[in-house]
Amino acid sequence: MKIKYIALPVLLSSIPALAQADTEFVNKFYGEVQGQIVWQDNQDYQGQTQLVRAGASGLYTADHFKVKYEAEVQYSDNFDNRGQDDIQVTIGRALFITDYGTFVLGKAYSGVYAEVYKRVDIHYSNNGENSSRNKMLWEQATYGTNVFAYSTPRFKLGNGTIKVVGSVNSPKDDNDSNFDVTSARVVYNSKNFNASAGYVGVNEKMKAVEAENRYDRYSVGADYTFKNLTFVGLAEITDYAFNNAENTYAAALKYKFDQLKFGVSYQHKTYTDNWTGVEDTQSLVIASVGYEYSQNLTFFAEGAFYGEEPALFNDSYSEDSLNIGIRVKI
């Protein structure tokens, strides 16, 4: 039995009688289009539609609880590089929110990515999204499928708040494992300083040929903002990775001056000793600048440069690149 069938009765049993509650329902719709010109090593010049996304969310408010839905679809010229269809349903989830915590069910951004990794994923074109022309070096997936999660309420701690989240998800339904991936994270937020730590355990049956050991991954990230300058750091430690990955370290710097936004990041990844026969490390430097003409329109320029050939590290499409583009939000 997969987790969505386990989770549904838990959620339904917590809902009071709707007929007796004062309720309110609010919907919101949004869209985004990003186009760019790409100069990439070993590739012809390309003008491409990097990303088109459209989504909706709604919040149903009752006396003792709230229910929120989120849905989103994306199109990208780059999905084909990753063996995906041109149109993807990336988000489709429901959140049941109470004073005792929040239950989440469905498909969306991975919580560990969103609250540990995303702080260092700062660029317009080269980033952790599946629509990115280049792949980032960390192992953590950006999206999660068939997720059931629970988050505690936020508790006061010093000058900020803290919460704990646990989740299970089952991307595969034919491998005799109900809980393919388990995860947990602790998240602290304050005005200028934020920090979080995450754990992800991947069942050995998730590998194409069943592995001998479960794949464990640990991560910690933090950011500090001083006026218009933000410093970001991330460390990812793996144990028994399925693809010979070892550890990944990343740092980023963001600065905003009027309508200009500058960002630079560095990623460094290690692999198990000499598995490629050449280098057992990989690095990636990305720099970007954006001009926010308005809250709906941004122009950007960006460059990504790998320290070693990505093809040596199980990646057949990432290369050094320069990108000039435009992003429109609705």
Side-chain angles (χ1 to χ4, degrees):
M1 180 185 298
K2 301 311 266 185
I3 59 173
K4 57 187 176 183
Y5 303 118
I6 299 174
L8 189 57
V10 175
L11 295 179
L12 293 178
S13 66
S14 303
I15 300 179
L18 297 180
Q20 300 177 2
D22 294 329
T23 62
E24 180 184 5
F25 190 65
V26 178
N27 281 301
K28 181 177 71 174
F29 301 91
Y30 63 90
E32 179 181 331
V33 178
Q34 181 164 311
Q36 63 178 4
I37 301 172
V38 184
W39 292 268
Q40 189 176 43
D41 282 1
N42 302 316
Q43 299 285 336
D44 295 335
Y45 148 85
Q46 289 191 4
Q48 62 175 207
T49 303
Q50 181 178 4
L51 177 65
V52 177
R53 76 166 93 218
S57 63
L59 183 64
Y60 180 94
T61 303
D63 287 341
H64 305 292
F65 65 92
K66 297 178 181 179
V67 176
K68 184 178 182 180
Y69 81 86
E70 298 174 341
E72 181 179 292
V73 295
Q74 294 184 7
Y75 166 85
S76 175
D77 288 345
N78 292 328
F79 284 161
D80 184 61
N81 292 333
R82 302 176 188 238
Q84 300 176 340
D85 294 335
D86 288 343
I87 298 177
Q88 296 285 318
V89 178
T90 49
I91 298 177
R93 70 173 181 174
L95 297 86
F96 182 67
I97 307 165
T98 74
D99 292 338
Y100 307 101
T102 300
F103 295 91
V104 182
L105 182 64
K107 176 179 183 178
Y109 281 104
S110 159
V112 172
Y113 166 80
E115 296 189 304
V116 182
Y117 289 74
K118 189 172 176 61
R119 56 171 44 90
V120 78
D121 199 12
I122 63 173
H123 301 288
Y124 299 95
S125 179
N126 298 276
N127 50 47
E129 291 285 350
N130 293 335
S131 59
S132 173
R133 182 75 178 182
N134 287 323
K135 187 176 181 181
M136 303 299 96
L137 299 186
W138 54 74
E139 290 292 298
Q140 174 62 43
T142 302
Y143 293 93
T145 302
N146 294 340
V147 176
F148 176 53
Y150 168 74
S151 171
T152 68
R154 288 192 172 273
F155 301 102
K156 183 73 175 177
L157 180 64
N159 294 323
T161 61
I162 192 170
K163 69 175 181 178
V164 179
V165 186
S167 71
V168 293
N169 65 297
S170 302
K172 293 186 177 181
D173 59 5
D174 58 355
N175 61 352
D176 296 323
S177 171
N178 288 324
F179 305 132
D180 295 333
V181 182
T182 57
S183 70
R185 62 189 184 275
V186 179
V187 182
Y188 173 81
N189 296 112
S190 66
K191 182 178 179 180
N192 298 106
F193 176 73
N194 305 286
S196 52
Y199 163 77
V200 175
V202 184
N203 191 288
E204 55 268 25
K205 294 182 179 180
M206 281 288 288
K207 190 176 182 182
V209 178
E210 185 173 338
E212 295 182 2
N213 300 287
R214 183 179 63 184
Y215 170 15
D216 294 318
R217 184 165 62 244
Y218 308 88
S219 57
V220 59
D223 62 82
Y224 177 76
T225 299
F226 177 73
K227 295 185 178 179
N228 293 335
L229 186 63
T230 301
F231 304 90
V232 186
L234 170 75
E236 175 188 79
I237 311 299
T238 66
D239 195 12
Y240 298 110
F242 296 158
N243 63 346
N244 298 100
E246 196 171 45
N247 305 324
T248 303
Y249 308 96
L253 187 66
K254 298 188 294 183
Y255 179 72
K256 185 173 182 179
F257 177 75
D258 290 336
Q259 293 171 279
L260 291 172
K261 294 179 69 175
F262 302 89
V264 60
S265 66
Y266 174 76
Q267 301 170 32
H268 180 82
K269 184 171 187 174
T270 62
Y271 296 81
T272 54
D273 293 342
N274 298 320
W275 75 278
T276 62
V278 281
E279 294 284 348
D280 55 7
T281 64
Q282 172 69 295
S283 61
L284 172 61
V285 176
I286 307 173
S288 61
V289 57
Y291 174 68
E292 295 183 343
Y293 181 80
S294 70
Q295 63 179 356
N296 301 108
L297 178 62
T298 300
F299 302 92
F300 67 87
E302 190 169 306
F305 309 96
Y306 289 87
E308 295 78 28
E309 285 293 329
L312 298 175
F313 300 89
N314 295 337
D315 185 343
S316 60
Y317 51 85
S318 296
E319 293 284 357
D320 293 352
S321 65
L322 295 174
N323 313 73
I324 297 176
I326 182 173
R327 174 183 290 180
V328 179
K329 290 185 177 182
I330 303 173

